[in-house]
Amino acid sequence: ENVCGKFGSRSYDDPNWVDKDGNPMPWIPQDEYVEGQSIRVRTYLDTHHNGHMEIRACNKGSACTPTDFEGNELTFVKDVVYEGNHPAMPKDPNYP
């Protein structure tokens, strides 16, 4: 079960929450959000096949399981990176 994901052979789902050197890491939330609030998500998706990204939320902190994320998808509102001289990325109706 992957909650935090994997990169290559490295899994970020270690039940002991350890860093890359094996040192224990405490659960430290970065912020708290209210349902309906707009948030900014900084991310990078490098793909040559027009992939997409789904972002989901859970309010149980380190006790979250994959099931807790089901039905809690965040909704894309707008792309703020390319506003100005470049067209903003449009919302994909297939993946709102």
Side-chain angles (χ1 to χ4, degrees):
E1 295 184 55
N2 289 310
V3 174
C4 294
K6 292 186 174 197
F7 178 77
S9 63
R10 181 185 301 162
S11 173
Y12 292 97
D13 288 315
D14 188 306
N16 298 315
W17 294 88
V18 296
D19 65 16
K20 66 180 180 68
D21 297 320
N23 299 313
M25 296 186 330
W27 178 263
I28 303 173
Q30 300 299 303
D31 212 336
E32 293 184 17
Y33 304 103
V34 177
E35 186 174 351
Q37 174 185 356
S38 290
I39 65 170
R40 180 175 289 193
V41 176
R42 291 177 182 227
T43 186
Y44 177 76
L45 180 63
D46 183 13
T47 179
H48 64 282
H49 54 76
N50 298 320
H52 72 278
M53 181 179 300
E54 295 178 6
I55 301 176
R56 301 168 188 231
C58 174
N59 65 357
K60 296 181 181 178
S62 62
C64 288
T65 67
T67 304
D68 294 318
F69 289 91
E70 292 177 15
N72 291 316
E73 294 83 9
L74 301 186
T75 303
F76 177 84
V77 176
K78 70 178 182 175
D79 176 7
V80 297
V81 174
Y82 291 108
E83 288 182 344
N85 295 332
H86 305 282
M89 179 178 66
K91 185 175 189 174
D92 184 337
N94 297 312
Y95 303 99

